Amino acid sequence: MNTPIYQALQEYCRERNVLLHMPGHKGGKGFNLTEFQAIGAVDFTEVPGLDDLHDPRGVLAEAQRLAAEAWGAERSLFLVNGATSGIHCLLLAMGEESRVLVPRNAHRSFLGGLVISGARPIFVECEMDAALGVALSVRPESIKAKLDSCSDITGAFLVSPTYYGTVNEIKEIAELLGEREIPLMVDEAHGAHFVFHPGYPRAALQEGAQASVHGLHKTMPVLTQAGILHLGAGFPWSDRVQACHDLLTSTSPSYPLMASIDIGRATMQQHGYDLLEQAKERTERCRQRINGIPGFASRSREFMETEGVAGYDPLKLLVEITDLELDGYRLSRLLREHYCIQVEMAGENYVLAMFSPFNPPDDWDKLAAALKDISQRYAHRSRDRNPCPGFPPIPPLALTPRESFLSSAKTVKIEESKGMISAEMAAPYPPGIPCVIPGEIITAEVVEYLIYLKQKEIPVQGLRDRSLQSIQVVDV
Ligand SMILES: Cc1ncc(COP(=O)(O)O)c(C=O)c1O
């Protein structure tokens, strides 16, 4: 396998140098735990032979070049602070004067990126699935409507695949934007594995996006926190993005993380097709078994009935509870406490299982067997299939997220907050989409909705006051 970083680390170990440089654990000797000793043995810093991520000319340059080749990018930059930092780089590179299309289901790293850059977001509505209460896509028509009503948009983002595995109509959207010379950037945090098997959805860059961000650790054999930012041919601000990457990246990036990117890429290039083929088949069989268990269902092609959904990641297995007397949170706890199975997440009516080629073969059987057992133990009754009624329209933006972040804030009762500018985000779960973000005006609908969330005791992320009595607003 061609893994330049790992090979350079091995070479450095073989030289048995006296380590009079960082880090302080001295090749793992400072740890008295074997697991950490093993990591420490390859945890070095920018000594000669190991290159420098801020001025790559050796093994890191070569590893990034190999990554760009593998993922079909013009240039790829390693990220050691997750996909989050790739999104921050792109938004910062766009600059304060920019107006950027952002899907409303964007991950919270977008809010951070908007605060750092000062860019003005124009949010695009998502297509919701009523039974799940989550966003599955953004329709090309929704993008077109924004383009028609706003002439000064300078860039656009999509989240594809979504956390739930659904893929957007990237090609159509890239074409729409291309007609106006607006670059499309895709948060593809969950889709790094797609390029290694043609039976998986096509990757965003292949579909016409000009930049994409991968959270490599999510789906690849790569250490947590490792990500990559790909810039495609014709991406307008490549040099600025490189400068932002320098600005936002630690001067001591972790070599175990970067070497794991290299090893993960090489592993998938060499064995990815077979591994992904097998994992896909196993997940499909498991899905079929679940669809035969009373009380549960798991969609595959049916996802495409939602407008704007062009495909789905076969390794994401969403288990919907159709008619059992338990909700997704309880199901998740049962799976952990009684069957030693930890799923990725739970919602009102579902749990989300994430498989990878590196799950042992019986993991699929364990999930199906556990669900069968649970189905036999729990009473069957139909459930409320619409957990997220009356989501308020996206409120108007009075200040950019950055202006709001830098303003002083005060606490007001939610009932009295109508017309004020929010200084915080409120994102009920489900759907995990904010009903208000910093800088937006708190509308009557938002107030009503927050009161409803409080009454229903629906968990809300982002608000300082967890009891939902008050909200932080900009003190004007
Ligand atoms: C869609 C999406 N984008 C971006 C991120 C941020 O990724 P990371 O945690 O690697 O920084 C996540 C994290 O879960 C995510 O789900």
Side-chain angles (χ1 to χ4, degrees):
M1 289 203 300
N2 190 3
T3 52
I5 307 176
Y6 179 59
Q7 283 153 4
L9 289 169
Q10 275 185 315
E11 177 57 29
Y12 190 66
C13 289
R14 265 196 300 272
E15 288 173 13
R16 294 177 163 273
N17 294 300
V18 175
L19 305 180
L20 303 185
H21 59 74
M22 297 185 281
H25 60 67
K26 304 295 167 187
K29 292 182 200 65
F31 296 120
N32 57 7
L33 298 165
T34 45
E35 298 90 338
F36 283 83
Q37 282 163 0
I39 300 171
V42 288
D43 182 28
F44 295 114
T45 186
E46 290 89 353
V47 293
L50 293 186
D51 208 4
D52 176 358
L53 189 60
H54 291 270
D55 182 21
R57 292 157 189 256
V59 288
L60 293 176
E62 176 60 1
Q64 291 189 136
R65 189 193 66 73
L66 288 167
E69 203 173 270
W71 275 285
E74 188 100 324
R75 196 193 290 193
S76 297
L77 302 170
F78 285 178
L79 305 170
V80 290
N81 188 24
T84 297
S85 53
I87 291 160
H88 289 179
C89 284
L90 289 171
L91 283 163
L92 181 59
M94 290 188 68
E96 201 161 19
E97 298 305 314
S98 60
R99 286 167 75 85
V100 53
L101 282 185
V102 179
R104 196 64 178 183
N105 64 336
H107 180 258
R108 65 198 171 98
S109 49
F110 277 85
L111 191 54
L114 290 167
V115 167
I116 293 170
S117 80
R120 181 170 287 270
I122 299 164
F123 285 104
V124 191
E125 307 76 17
C126 303
E127 297 309 299
M128 305 290 294
D129 182 272
L132 296 168
V134 302
L136 296 182
S137 64
V138 167
R139 286 184 309 135
E141 292 75 13
S142 307
I143 302 269
K144 184 165 183 317
K146 293 290 175 192
L147 294 174
D148 290 345
S149 63
C150 241
S151 58
D152 52 356
I153 294 166
T154 43
F157 279 91
L158 283 178
V159 178
S160 181
T162 60
Y163 194 37
Y164 310 95
T166 50
V167 173
N168 282 235
E169 291 173 341
I170 297 174
K171 194 159 184 222
E172 288 76 352
I173 293 172
E175 277 167 14
L176 269 176
L177 294 162
E179 285 163 15
R180 293 163 170 86
E181 297 185 6
I182 299 171
L184 173 61
M185 296 159 276
V186 179
D187 172 359
E188 203 175 36
H190 290 265
H193 54 305
F194 288 174
V195 291
F196 299 105
H197 192 298
Y200 281 63
R202 275 165 64 82
L205 284 184
Q206 293 174 308
E207 292 289 85
Q210 276 156 308
S212 67
V213 179
H214 289 153
L216 293 172
H217 60 100
K218 297 181 194 302
T219 61
M220 299 265 298
V222 167
L223 289 176
T224 294
Q225 222 171 301
I228 196 159
L229 167 55
H230 300 294
L231 304 176
F235 182 76
W237 318 288
S238 282
D239 290 340
R240 276 183 62 81
V241 171
Q242 174 81 63
C244 296
H245 180 258
D246 275 348
L247 189 87
L248 296 174
T249 300
S250 161
T251 51
S252 312
S254 156
Y255 274 84
L257 279 193
M258 294 189 290
S260 84
I261 299 178
D262 217 15
I263 295 165
R265 185 259 315 142
T267 304
M268 292 304 276
Q269 279 182 308
Q270 203 166 348
H271 307 292
Y273 181 89
D274 292 340
L275 288 166
L276 288 167
E277 178 68 21
Q278 206 171 46
K280 187 166 172 272
E281 272 173 21
R282 287 178 178 154
T283 314
E284 203 38 56
R285 270 205 303 277
C286 181
R287 205 188 303 276
Q288 280 166 12
R289 279 177 70 184
I290 292 168
N291 280 324
I293 301 173
F296 293 116
S298 181
R299 288 183 233 181
S300 50
R301 293 196 65 76
E302 297 85 354
F303 276 126
M304 266 114 96
E305 288 162 16
T306 300
E307 275 192 83
V309 176
Y312 62 95
D313 179 354
L315 300 187
K316 286 254 165 87
L317 201 148
L318 227 150
V319 181
E320 293 174 53
I321 306 165
T322 51
D323 61 352
L324 277 183
E325 205 156 87
L326 82 170
D327 62 22
Y329 308 107
R330 178 98 188 275
L331 174 59
S332 168
R333 279 199 303 278
L334 280 176
L335 286 169
R336 173 69 184 266
E337 287 163 13
H338 297 283
Y339 304 89
C340 290
I341 294 172
Q342 178 59 57
V343 289
E344 166 66 20
M345 66 103 64
E348 180 64 26
N349 281 335
Y350 65 88
V351 295
L352 176 65
M354 273 178 79
F355 285 100
S356 108
F358 303 96
N359 279 98
D362 60 349
D363 283 0
W364 283 269
D365 296 333
K366 283 180 183 165
L367 178 65
L371 292 174
K372 188 166 175 203
D373 197 45
I374 291 169
S375 158
Q376 285 161 356
R377 284 167 191 268
Y378 279 79
H380 290 250
R381 70 159 179 84
S382 43
R383 293 182 50 75
D384 174 10
R385 302 282 287 150
N386 189 0
C388 169
F391 204 78
I394 298 173
L397 195 73
L399 297 175
T400 63
R402 179 184 176 82
E403 287 163 344
S404 150
F405 185 81
L406 296 177
S407 306
S408 49
K410 63 178 182 189
T411 307
V412 295
K413 284 191 181 146
I414 284 180
E415 287 80 359
E416 292 163 13
S417 65
K418 187 184 141 203
M420 298 181 183
I421 301 169
S422 183
E424 52 183 0
M425 179 184 85
Y429 224 97
I433 293 178
C435 59
V436 69
I437 65 150
E440 284 177 347
I441 295 176
I442 303 171
T443 57
E445 290 100 325
V446 168
V447 172
E448 241 173 71
Y449 191 61
L450 288 171
I451 293 169
Y452 162 82
L453 296 171
K454 182 169 80 177
Q455 282 162 356
K456 291 274 176 185
E457 296 181 6
I458 293 173
V460 178
Q461 296 180 345
L463 289 182
R464 190 189 291 181
D465 179 357
R466 297 260 158 184
S467 67
L468 258 70
Q469 312 281 344
S470 64
I471 185 165
Q472 298 290 305
V473 297
V474 173
D475 192 5
V476 280

